[in-house]
Amino acid sequence: QVQLVESGGGLVQPGGSLRLSCAASGFSSGLRMDYYAIGWFRQAPGKEREGVSCISTNDGSTSYVDSVKGRFTISRDNAENTVYLQMNMLQPEDTAVYYCASYITTVHNTCVMTENWYADWGQGTQVTVSL
């Protein structure tokens, strides 16, 4: 089981930017960060949680939901056990609690944004986009 801690959320005006971080720790013996694909999900009030982006273990593949393409960028630093979500041109509809999650995989060049693939989840960080 991996412990994930998100940070970087906050209040920002429309058009602004935030960078979320997801720090991983507690790897089981013999495992390390580059065994895990990482995804970002979000849940807005009254809505179901949705996948936002994911990144493969070796940074070779990323995926985004259509609504954030061109505005959000996911990246990872395996040496620092951290995954980032750079969010630009934020809009009120981006307001949500953002969660990072992980799944262990031996497939290193792809990732899946299907929620039930993800075994470990962080506690979430609030992002609010408002004037």
Side-chain angles (χ1 to χ4, degrees):
Q1 189 174 5
V2 177
Q3 285 76 54
L4 302 171
V5 178
E6 304 94 337
S7 61
L11 173 65
V12 64
Q13 293 185 351
S17 298
L18 285 173
R19 188 177 79 156
L20 304 184
S21 298
C22 173
S25 63
F27 301 107
S28 298
S29 178
L31 300 177
R32 57 179 191 264
M33 184 67 173
D34 59 356
Y35 283 70
Y36 295 85
I38 304 293
W40 283 98
F41 295 79
R42 66 185 179 186
Q43 188 166 23
K47 295 187 177 181
E48 293 188 354
R49 190 158 56 187
E50 67 167 346
V52 175
S53 181
C54 67
I55 188 166
S56 63
T57 60
N58 63 359
D59 206 11
S61 175
T62 59
S63 184
Y64 299 90
V65 68
D66 285 347
S67 60
V68 307
K69 285 180 180 177
R71 301 189 297 123
F72 291 12
T73 303
I74 191 170
S75 61
R76 64 190 294 158
D77 183 340
N78 286 338
E80 295 295 326
N81 295 334
T82 302
V83 172
Y84 304 98
L85 186 67
Q86 178 66 43
M87 306 187 297
N88 298 328
M89 298 173 56
L90 283 160
Q91 301 301 319
E93 52 266 34
D94 296 315
T95 295
V97 178
Y98 283 72
Y99 301 89
C100 67
S102 69
Y103 66 90
I104 192 167
T105 179
T106 57
V107 179
H108 298 292
N109 59 355
T110 189
C111 63
V112 176
M113 270 204 297
T114 303
E115 192 169 323
N116 61 11
W117 277 60
Y118 290 80
D120 300 303
W121 292 78
Q123 82 291 347
T125 186
Q126 176 71 47
V127 171
T128 303
V129 185
S130 179
L131 291 171

